Amino acid sequence: IEGDVVIIKHQKTANPKDIIAAKVDEEVTLKTFSKEKDHVALLASNPKYSPIILDGSKPFDILGILVGLVRSY
């Protein structure tokens, strides 16, 4: 949600279902991490957005995992 502030713990690895900050093609995104047999999928919480499928053809880095969220009302 616009205005939310996320707290990210810096680390280079993630477990399935972790919400991660990831750098894909020089863009940073916040997605749920999913690891399949032959690819990684970054899943959006918003169903309007398609998963990002990473099969090794695009540069991809895990920047960290979500550990907190601050929301103002």
Side-chain angles (χ1 to χ4, degrees), residues 19-38:
I19 298 174
I20 66 167
K23 187 174 181 182
V24 181
D25 283 339
E26 300 303 317
E27 286 192 32
V28 176
T29 188
L30 195 65
K31 304 281 189 223
T32 301
F33 181 76
S34 175
K35 188 167 185 175
E36 305 299 328
K37 192 175 202 177
D38 60 346

Side-chain angles (χ1 to χ4, degrees), residues 35-48:
K35 188 167 185 175
E36 305 299 328
K37 192 175 202 177
D38 60 346
H39 67 274
V40 167
L42 303 180
L43 310 172
S45 296
N46 186 334
K48 289 183 183 179

